[in-house]
């Protein structure tokens, strides 16, 4: 049972460098008894994860910019103010489309994402040289990566 309220300032949230993006956890699993976590992702043009799936739900709110989402075999161009939901098990990927980094808020429920992002921030320092480490890190945290696929909006 959550027994406390939470207020965090943006300056107190340490940014993680993950596959060309900057990720800040607005709240972690420990803040919500693992019910959910929420992160802010700054998504540069062309950056984003390859197709993957996992056993938890994710919801995305595009606060700024434009993003190409792959959900299963379908592609969707979404922009500021749009919302995307990927239920557990859905193969999904996304990529920044805007010249200025897009700002995306991501909710994962139940909370599972932090361990993956923290380990990638720590272990994957030089891309593309360290790219081969990512699938194994994903497996340790329940994220299954698939080969990239061409999907048109």
């Amino acid at each position: 049972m959550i027994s406390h309220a939470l207020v965090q300032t943006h300056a107190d949230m340490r940014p993680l460098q993950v596959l060309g993006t900057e990720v800040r956890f607005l709240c972690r699993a420990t803040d919500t008894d693992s019910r959910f976590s929420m992160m802010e992702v700054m998504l540069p043009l062309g950056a984003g994860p390859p197709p993957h799936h996992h056993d938890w739900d994710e919801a995305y709110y595009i606060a700024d910019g434009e993003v190409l989402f792959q959900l299963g075999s379908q592609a969707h161009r979404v922009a500021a103010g749009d919302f995307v939901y990927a239920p557990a098990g859905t193969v999904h990927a996304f990529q920044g489309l805007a010249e200025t980094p897009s700002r995306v808020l991501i909710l994962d429920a139940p909370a599972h994402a932090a361990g993956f992002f923290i380990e990638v921030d720590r272990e994957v320092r030089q891309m593309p040289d360290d790219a081969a480490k990512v699938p194994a890190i994903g497996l340790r945290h329940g994220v299954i990566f698939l080969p990239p696929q061409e999907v048109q909006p």
Side-chain angles (χ1 to χ4, degrees):
M1 178 89 152
I2 299 172
S3 60
H4 63 280
L6 174 67
V7 175
Q8 295 197 92
T9 64
H10 198 260
D12 292 335
M13 296 172 229
R14 184 176 82 81
L16 304 172
Q17 302 305 312
V18 180
L19 306 177
T21 70
E22 182 179 279
V23 177
R24 289 180 194 266
F25 274 85
L26 306 177
C27 70
R28 296 180 186 261
T30 55
D31 300 321
T32 66
D33 288 340
S34 296
R35 288 183 179 97
F36 68 92
S37 66
M38 179 173 274
M39 65 198 96
E40 172 190 64
V41 176
M42 298 305 293
L43 188 62
L45 178 65
H52 65 283
H53 61 87
H54 40 67
D55 291 338
W56 57 88
D57 294 351
E58 284 184 334
Y60 304 82
Y61 177 76
I62 314 310
D64 295 301
E66 188 175 13
V67 179
L68 177 64
F69 266 89
Q70 175 187 338
L71 298 167
S73 63
Q74 304 245 322
H76 306 271
R77 291 178 80 105
V78 295
D82 292 344
F83 176 83
V84 175
Y85 172 60
T90 301
V91 173
H92 60 289
F94 54 93
Q95 179 179 14
L97 292 178
E99 291 295 324
T100 302
S102 298
R103 183 170 162 255
V104 181
L105 301 178
I106 304 174
L107 179 95
D108 67 318
H112 273 75
F116 170 76
F117 288 111
I118 291 167
E119 188 171 348
V120 169
D121 176 68
R122 184 179 63 239
E123 300 296 328
V124 179
R125 305 306 299 165
Q126 196 69 26
M127 289 298 280
D129 298 342
D130 289 341
K133 296 178 181 179
V134 176
I137 294 170
L139 281 175
R140 284 194 288 278
H141 297 281
V143 180
I144 312 302
F145 287 98
L146 305 174
Q149 304 164 351
E150 277 296 314
V151 178
Q152 299 299 318

